[in-house]
Amino acid sequence: MDAPGFDADLPVHVERALADFLGRAGTEILRTEPSVAAGIEALSGFVLGGGKRIRPTFAWWGWRGAGGAASGPLAEGALRAVASLELIQACALIHDDLIDSSDSRRGRPTVHVAAEKLHADRGWLGSPSVFGLASAVLVGDLALAWADDMFAEAPLPAATIAAARPAWRAMRTEVLAGQYLDVRTQAVGDASPEAALRIDRLKTAAYTVQRPLHLGASLAGADDRLIATLLEFGGDVGVAFQLRDDLLGVFGDPSVTGKPAGDDLREGKRTLLVALGLQLAEEKGDHAAAKVIADAIGAADLTGGTVDQVREALTSVGAVAAVERQIDELTASANAALERAHLAEPAPSALAELIRLATQRNF
C-alpha cells in the first residue's frame, strides 16, 4: 500500500493547488487591464473562502480506488486535475445565487450582492443591481473558463487527460442542463416528486458524485466495468446528499448551514421534501397542511414563525419520515455498489465515510 501522501489532509492539498492556480491565472490580464482586479479578487475570495471540497474529494478517491498513486508526480497531477472541479462549483454557485436571488452564501454576501454594494458605495453611474447581476454572471463565467484551463494544465500525460475528457465534458453539460431543468420546473409549477427526483439526479448526483468519481477513475485508467459501478454508487450517494440538503434547507440551523432558515422555500425550490409534503397532504385530506406548504413556496417575505408552521406540516403529513426512509434506502444501495466495485484500499473505507458524511451531516 502507498504511503498516505495526499490522502491525509486532502482538503489542505486541494486548497494549495487552488491557491497556486488562482495566484497565477490572472497575472497576464492584470498587466494589461488592472481594472478587472475586483472581479478576479471576488472569484479568488469565493473559491478560497470556504466550501466542503466534496467534488475533488470524490474524484480523488475515484483516482485512488482505480489504482492511482497517493504521492509523487502523477498524484500531484491528479490532485491539480481534481481540484479544478472547485472552479466549476464556483461558477455553479455564483450563478445559482443570482438565479435564486440569494443574499448570503457561507455566512457572507453573495457575489452579486457584494458587487451591487461596491457600485452603490462608489457612487457609480447606472443601476447598482444591474451591475451586481452583470458582475456575477461574468465572474461565474470566468470560473468556468479557468476550470478548463486548470484541468488542461494539470501535469499529466496527454493521454491521461484525454481519457478523462468524456467525464469532464459530460459533467459540465449535466450541471447546466440540471440547472435549466430546475429553473424550468419552477416556471411551469411542476411540484411532482418525479420532477424533483429528475432534478436531483441530473443537477446534484451526476455533478457532485458520479462524474467526479468517473473523472478520477478515468485518470487512473479504470475500465468500463468499474466506471459503471462507480456511476451507480455515485447516483445513489448524490441523490441522498441532495435529500439531506433539502431537509437542511427547511430544518437546518443557519449558524451551521450558513444560509437563512427556510431559504429553499423563499426561493420556490420544488424539492422532493416539498413535493412529498403536498402529495401526502392531499392523500390524507389535510387541506390545512397543504395550504401552509403551498403558500410558503416562493414567499419572499417568509417569517420564522411561518417556517415553523411549514416544518410542523411537513412532519405531520409524513414527508420528513418519507425522505429519511429514501435516504436510508439509497445509503444501503450505495454501500452495496461500493462492495461490488472492489476498489483498491484505502478508497473503500474513505468512500464509506463519505457516504456517512453526505447522508448524516447537519451542514
Side-chain angles (χ1 to χ4, degrees):
M1 186 182 298
D2 293 321
F6 299 144
D7 293 354
D9 299 320
L10 179 62
V12 174
H13 296 295
V14 170
E15 200 83 3
R16 167 180 61 80
L18 288 167
D20 177 69
F21 176 82
L22 290 168
R24 296 181 288 103
T27 302
E28 186 174 346
I29 187 62
L30 287 171
R31 286 199 196 101
T32 57
E33 190 47 69
S35 67
V36 301
I40 291 174
E41 289 168 5
L43 177 55
S44 296
F46 186 89
V47 172
L48 300 176
K52 297 180 279 290
R53 311 308 186 207
I54 291 170
R55 291 152 192 85
T57 299
F58 275 112
W60 175 256
W61 289 113
W63 157 264
R64 294 283 285 123
S71 59
L74 289 178
E76 178 66 30
L79 176 74
R80 290 177 178 270
V82 304
S84 67
L85 297 176
E86 281 299 302
L87 290 168
I88 295 184
Q89 171 69 346
C91 169
L93 291 180
I94 290 168
H95 287 172
D96 205 32
D97 287 339
L98 187 61
I99 291 167
D100 295 335
S101 300
S102 297
D103 292 332
S104 65
R105 166 75 63 179
R106 299 167 184 163
R108 293 187 292 273
T110 51
V111 170
H112 66 278
V113 168
E116 182 177 339
K117 184 177 185 302
L118 173 66
H119 184 288
D121 289 347
R122 299 288 175 85
W124 290 343
L125 301 176
S127 165
S129 63
V130 170
F131 178 80
L133 183 154
S135 296
V137 169
L138 294 170
V139 170
D141 288 350
L142 180 64
L144 187 59
W146 279 3
D148 277 336
D149 291 345
M150 187 175 183
F151 177 73
E153 293 169 8
L156 289 167
T160 300
I161 293 291
R165 279 284 176 194
W168 182 262
R169 288 195 297 266
M171 177 185 54
R172 290 182 309 170
T173 300
E174 286 163 354
V175 68
L176 295 173
Q179 183 66 279
Y180 178 78
L181 178 61
D182 192 6
V183 171
R184 185 182 185 280
T185 298
Q186 292 183 50
V188 301
D190 187 347
S192 68
E194 293 76 17
L197 277 172
R198 284 201 305 275
I199 294 169
D200 290 347
R201 291 203 172 275
L202 189 58
K203 183 180 176 183
T204 302
Y207 161 62
T208 301
V209 187
Q210 287 180 302
R211 294 306 180 186
L213 282 168
H214 182 186
L215 184 137
S218 295
L219 289 171
D223 60 23
D224 291 343
R225 181 202 62 80
L226 177 54
I227 288 172
T229 305
L230 288 175
L231 289 174
E232 181 184 345
F233 165 84
D236 291 337
V237 175
V239 173
F241 175 90
Q242 183 58 56
L243 297 185
R244 179 61 62 199
D245 211 48
D246 294 346
L247 287 166
L248 291 171
V250 177
F251 292 88
D253 180 349
S255 66
V256 178
T257 63
K259 298 204 77 174
D263 224 26
D264 283 356
L265 295 168
R266 292 184 188 88
E267 293 164 7
K269 290 188 176 179
R270 306 280 176 164
T271 65
L272 183 66
L273 175 65
V274 167
L276 286 174
L278 292 170
Q279 183 183 73
L280 291 169
E282 182 179 350
E283 290 174 359
K284 293 173 182 289
D286 192 338
H287 304 300
K291 185 175 188 327
V292 166
I293 298 167
D295 288 351
I297 301 171
D301 57 350
L302 203 63
T303 64
T306 305
V307 172
D308 288 339
Q309 291 176 357
V310 175
R311 289 170 172 169
E312 183 179 346
L314 290 169
T315 303
S316 67
V317 300
V320 175
V323 171
E324 290 285 6
R325 282 195 301 273
Q326 190 137 8
I327 290 173
D328 290 343
E329 291 169 4
L330 289 164
T331 300
S333 178
N335 278 310
L338 181 58
E339 288 183 12
R340 292 198 308 276
H342 302 297
L343 299 174
E345 290 291 352
S349 299
L351 288 169
E353 176 62 10
L354 285 173
I355 295 174
R356 188 190 69 77
L357 289 174
T359 59
Q360 299 178 23
R361 74 192 194 283
N362 65 350
F363 54 88

